[in-house]
Amino acid sequence: MDEMDKCEDMKGHYLVMDNAPIHETEDISKYIECGGYRCTHFPQYSSRLDPTEQFWSVDRSKVTISTELMCLESRGPPSSFLVPSSNASGIVTAMAQLATFGTIKTYPENPRVAKAQIAAAYAGVSFDVKSFDLTKDRDAAFMAKFPMGKIPVLEGSKVDLFESSAIAYYAAAQQESSVLAGTNAVEKALVLQWILFSENEISANIGSWIYPLLGYRPYMKPNVDAGIENTKRALAALNSILLTKTYLVGDAITLADIAVVTALVPGFKLVFDKEFRSQYKNVLRYFNTVVAQPHFKAALGEIALCETPLKYTPPKKEKKETKKEAAPAPKKEAKKEEAKPAAEEEAKPAPKPKSKLDLLPKSPFILDEWKRMYSNNDTSVAMKWFWENFDSEGWSLWRVDYKYNDELTLVFMSNNLIGGFFARLELARKYAFGSMVVCGTNNNNTISGYFLVRGQEIPEEVSYAADFESYNFVKIEPSQYEEKKDEIYKYMAWEVEGFADGKIFK
């Protein structure tokens, strides 16, 4: 008020305050009136936005703050820049007329889009949302704008963005004075910290847990178990932080809360049952508090907490139809049967059909000889023999990479994945040889390698394995052998950069 007193035109205008109890005391009202001003308060809640935020998000485009006088300067007549309580309801109407900052393309009910929508609502802007089918709508024009080919994406008048956190940050940044993205260097760093935490420690690990259960990824128990344990670790850390906090950064909702809570939504809806939630009471309190806010409800709807957690259901095997046996014919008087000739004796069972690979033309390259050479000699000697005897017409070489390296955690668990894959290739031992390695460190490693296979295609003996689809097999053509010799040698000798562990299929 001392600064406002420097502007004579301010006398008689309303001072608009939020509904904090201290602002509603009789002493405060008398003090303001004695200064020649009047006061009004917003109601506690609005159907769309917190009223205080509604006021500033609408009027910020029409009102500026003088850094010298610290008072409001309106672009219109002086009476327009502080509003009486009778005009407060009009703010809600004005909010519906906010300019749209672009179109988000996504699949329905995507919590990652909710993150951007909530941030936009707090910042006083909005996005249009358009349903997008990756299988039909991902054309050349889309890939030119968004080379990763993933959704959600934002098509804006000023910028095209992929990554949901970038879209949410763009929305938050539309209100420069907002606390959403932090008001100083410390708060900005903390907000960024929690955004990264939500992506790397919550979304990624909950995804490893629930996506295989939903059928979006192949189910591999070690990966799912790792996702569960990593989710628990992240929730334990969050639970500890929230012991003394209502919100993650400061005393109001920021982009940090928006990112973390929207990342938690799939877990609370699908797998965090009552027993699980009881281990993280601070997180549960925090989640319930935040999703009850009007902006969150508008974007997420009512969140029904999980009662029965999602479980893995193995696919049912098709049952072969069994023919009903014909009813036995009525017995006739037994007659002495004449001895049947040998040709009429019951047919012997047909011999077990051979593998298609056994029908291929004979190859001079003998797999067992190669296995003995590899096992009993230095790799340099073995590989020299290999290239001297390799038959590129009867055999083929394949580069193999695990498709979900970003989900791998501990090195020993990654190596166990390789072991599990090899165990399911038992029928291929006569027709294949492989070296697969884990490179990197705990929580930052990859699986890759090379396979030698009979024939020119991946045979059923390999592709039938349950987790075959989790690996990408790329054929090395004979014209590439010279170029790839050194790389293949390193995989066979386990001299690949960053080598941590590995297994040989033979």
Side-chain angles (χ1 to χ4, degrees):
M1 285 174 56
D2 291 340
E3 296 297 332
M4 292 168 66
D5 289 341
K6 297 176 183 179
C7 303
E8 290 297 327
D9 291 338
M10 298 290 287
K11 297 295 183 181
H13 287 81
Y14 279 88
L15 183 63
V16 183
M17 298 183 292
D18 63 23
N19 57 1
I22 191 172
H23 293 161
E24 296 181 331
T25 63
E26 187 176 348
D27 290 340
I28 291 293
S29 297
K30 287 181 179 179
Y31 179 74
I32 292 171
E33 290 170 2
C34 287
Y37 307 102
R38 289 177 285 180
C39 65
T40 188
H41 305 87
F42 283 118
Q44 188 171 7
Y45 290 108
S46 166
S47 61
R48 286 178 59 85
L49 299 173
D50 177 82
T52 309
E53 292 174 7
Q54 287 178 345
F55 173 76
W56 292 116
S57 63
V58 174
D59 279 17
R60 71 183 177 86
S61 61
K62 301 177 182 178
V63 180
T64 59
I65 300 179
S66 169
T67 56
E68 295 179 0
L69 299 178
M70 296 296 290
C71 65
L72 295 174
E73 296 178 347
S74 173
R75 295 179 184 174
S79 61
S80 68
F81 55 78
L82 284 181
V83 295
S85 58
S86 61
N87 287 342
S89 61
I91 294 172
V92 178
T93 303
M95 288 301 294
Q97 301 172 352
L98 292 173
T100 298
F101 268 71
T103 300
I104 295 177
K105 295 183 175 182
T106 183
Y107 58 82
E109 298 182 11
N110 185 348
R112 294 177 183 270
V113 172
K115 175 167 50 178
Q117 290 176 307
I118 295 166
Y122 274 104
V125 298
S126 65
F127 294 112
D128 289 331
V129 178
K130 181 179 178 181
S131 182
F132 190 86
D133 187 337
L134 280 175
T135 61
K136 299 177 182 177
D137 303 331
R138 185 165 49 182
D139 54 18
F142 177 85
M143 293 301 295
K145 285 185 178 181
F146 310 106
M148 291 302 292
K150 300 190 296 184
I151 52 176
V153 296
L154 170 68
E155 288 186 337
S157 57
K158 296 181 179 179
V159 65
D160 295 322
L161 295 172
F162 56 90
E163 295 297 340
S164 59
S165 292
I167 300 171
Y169 185 86
Y170 179 60
Q174 301 308 312
Q175 194 178 56
E176 296 178 4
S177 60
S178 169
V179 300
L180 278 180
T183 58
N184 55 52
V186 171
E187 289 185 354
K188 290 177 188 294
L190 287 171
V191 168
L192 178 59
Q193 168 188 278
W194 288 110
I195 291 174
L196 295 175
F197 178 87
S198 73
E199 294 175 347
N200 300 327
E201 303 297 339
I202 299 179
S203 290
N205 292 320
I206 290 179
S208 295
W209 181 355
I210 67 174
Y211 290 161
L213 306 183
L214 293 168
Y216 299 159
R217 295 178 185 169
Y219 178 84
M220 287 187 286
K221 193 174 186 301
N223 279 9
V224 174
D225 289 346
I228 294 172
E229 292 307 313
N230 289 335
T231 299
K232 289 180 177 179
R233 183 183 65 177
L235 291 180
L238 187 59
N239 199 61
S240 176
I241 291 290
L242 291 171
L243 179 63
T244 57
K245 288 178 174 286
T246 301
Y247 303 114
L248 292 172
V249 180
D251 299 321
I253 286 176
T254 64
L255 195 53
D257 303 296
I258 297 171
V260 168
V261 167
T262 52
L264 287 169
V265 166
F268 273 101
K269 291 176 72 173
L270 298 175
V271 287
F272 298 173
D273 62 3
K274 186 175 181 180
E275 182 180 355
F276 185 92
R277 296 193 298 267
S278 67
Q279 304 172 65
Y280 311 102
K281 294 182 179 178
N282 298 328
V283 176
L284 177 61
R285 167 186 50 79
Y286 165 73
F287 182 82
N288 285 335
T289 298
V290 176
V291 297
Q293 304 307 310
H295 297 336
F296 284 80
K297 278 190 174 181
L300 297 170
E302 294 289 339
I303 305 293
L305 299 183
C306 172
E307 294 184 3
T308 303
L310 199 62
K311 299 288 186 184
Y312 174 63
T313 304
K316 294 181 178 179
K317 294 183 179 179
E318 295 183 3
K319 294 183 178 179
K320 294 182 179 179
E321 293 184 5
T322 55
K323 294 182 179 179
K324 293 182 179 180
E325 294 183 1
K331 290 184 179 181
K332 295 182 179 179
E333 291 183 10
K335 293 184 179 179
K336 290 183 180 181
E337 295 184 0
E338 297 179 2
K340 293 181 180 179
E344 294 183 16
E345 290 182 5
E346 291 184 7
K348 294 181 180 179
K352 190 175 181 180
K354 293 182 177 181
S355 165
K356 292 179 182 178
L357 299 177
D358 294 330
L359 304 177
L360 293 175
K362 188 174 181 180
S363 171
F365 183 85
I366 309 301
L367 184 62
D368 285 341
E369 288 185 23
W370 158 243
K371 290 179 180 180
R372 285 193 295 271
M373 179 60 66
Y374 179 84
S375 300
N376 300 328
N377 294 277
D378 185 80
T379 307
S380 59
V381 175
M383 291 306 297
K384 183 175 182 297
W385 183 95
F386 176 84
W387 290 114
E388 290 174 351
N389 294 273
F390 181 61
D391 169 25
S392 60
E393 293 183 1
W395 297 80
S396 55
L397 286 167
W398 300 76
R399 164 76 188 220
V400 185
D401 290 278
Y402 186 58
K403 292 181 180 178
Y404 309 107
N405 283 321
D406 58 330
E407 298 178 5
L408 300 178
T409 54
L410 303 182
V411 168
F412 85 89
M413 296 180 71
S414 300
N415 205 41
N416 286 346
L417 277 179
I418 299 175
F421 179 45
F422 285 1
R424 287 178 277 278
L425 296 179
E426 189 61 34
L427 295 179
R429 291 198 183 275
K430 288 173 57 180
Y431 312 106
F433 175 93
S435 175
M436 298 284 288
V437 302
V438 181
C439 293
T441 57
N442 287 338
N443 301 311
N444 183 26
N445 55 80
T446 61
I447 294 174
S448 58
Y450 275 90
F451 256 73
L452 168 68
V453 173
R454 184 76 164 101
Q456 300 301 315
E457 303 293 337
I458 296 298
E460 294 177 355
E461 285 81 356
V462 174
S463 62
Y464 87 101
D467 41 359
F468 170 76
E469 293 297 332
S470 298
Y471 294 86
N472 190 36
F473 280 70
V474 177
K475 188 178 181 181
I476 307 300
E477 298 297 339
S479 60
Q480 299 174 283
Y481 288 167
E482 197 62 36
E483 173 192 347
K484 295 288 186 181
K485 268 187 180 181
D486 184 59
E487 183 177 280
I488 294 171
Y489 173 86
K490 289 179 178 178
Y491 273 93
M492 295 300 173
W494 287 4
E495 294 178 2
V496 185
E497 183 178 354
F499 173 80
D501 210 343
K503 290 188 182 294
I504 298 294
F505 178 78
K506 59 181 181 178

